[in-house]
Amino acid sequence: MPAARAPVTAYVALGANLGDARAAVLGAMDALDQVRATQVTARSGLYRSAPVDASGPDYVNAVVQVCTRLPAPELLAALQQLEQAAGRERPYHHAPRTLDLDLLLYGDARIDSPRLTVPHPRMMGRAFVLRPLAEIAPQHVPAEALAAVANQRLQRLDNRNGS
């Protein structure tokens, strides 16, 4: 029998801009907590942001911290299964989404494979990732990175009523 894998703290960005985006993000947070060997340990608030390098409706975004015993590629596969279950299609790059889940950080790991790059290669340039991440893990968000994205439109939503 293999030895139990040590738990790893990872961070996942969530976003949606099709259908009931707020409900999709909140539902994905709950679904992540049901992934095998994975527990959501912190949730940011919800944010509204304009699409970056794309068109379409505004996104609802958030970040969660998870404690997982899954290897990074298995966690990525679980995230992609949740996207598919939410009706995610990929007709073209940066297409609007019913649900988008990105693995931002996986412990201290540096991964550069054809399927997965960690830390996420574009996270430091996106306010919709950095502000929610700073809410739950400020040690991972340098002040200069936040300052660099300060001009990106981002609105914190009231989690109770979506406004």
Side-chain angles (χ1 to χ4, degrees), residues 94-116:
H94 294 302
R97 297 155 190 181
T98 53
L99 184 62
D100 185 30
L101 302 174
D102 288 327
L103 182 56
L104 301 174
L105 299 166
Y106 183 83
D108 294 328
R110 300 237 177 255
I111 302 167
D112 191 5
S113 75
R115 290 196 61 232
L116 178 62

Side-chain angles (χ1 to χ4, degrees), residues 3-10 35-38 66-79 103 105-107 109 111 115-116 118:
R5 186 175 182 85
V8 174
T9 298
V35 168
R36 176 180 62 83
T38 302
V66 299
C67 180
T68 186
R69 292 182 183 274
L70 296 177
E74 287 184 33
L75 181 57
L76 175 65
L79 298 178
L103 182 56
L105 299 166
Y106 183 83
I111 302 167
R115 290 196 61 232
L116 178 62
V118 173

Side-chain angles (χ1 to χ4, degrees), residues 28-94:
M29 288 178 170
D30 292 340
L32 270 166
D33 208 30
Q34 302 304 310
V35 168
R36 176 180 62 83
T38 302
Q39 179 182 12
V40 173
T41 51
R43 300 174 182 221
S44 76
L46 300 179
Y47 290 81
R48 176 178 290 125
S49 67
V52 174
D53 299 328
S55 59
D58 283 354
Y59 276 84
V60 173
N61 302 99
V63 171
V64 295
Q65 173 185 286
V66 299
C67 180
T68 186
R69 292 182 183 274
L70 296 177
E74 287 184 33
L75 181 57
L76 175 65
L79 298 178
Q80 291 172 338
Q81 287 175 345
L82 292 175
E83 288 177 338
Q84 279 192 307
R88 168 86 187 257
E89 295 179 0
R90 299 172 190 263
Y92 56 90
H93 195 57
H94 294 302

Side-chain angles (χ1 to χ4, degrees), residues 97-151:
R97 297 155 190 181
T98 53
L99 184 62
D100 185 30
L101 302 174
D102 288 327
L103 182 56
L104 301 174
L105 299 166
Y106 183 83
D108 294 328
R110 300 237 177 255
I111 302 167
D112 191 5
S113 75
R115 290 196 61 232
L116 178 62
T117 303
V118 173
H120 190 284
R122 292 174 302 282
M123 69 184 258
M124 288 299 172
R126 296 177 167 175
F128 65 82
V129 171
L130 293 179
R131 294 242 326 258
L133 180 60
E135 228 182 88
I136 61 173
Q139 71 277 16
H140 291 298
V141 183
E144 56 274 12
L146 275 178
V149 299
N151 63 336

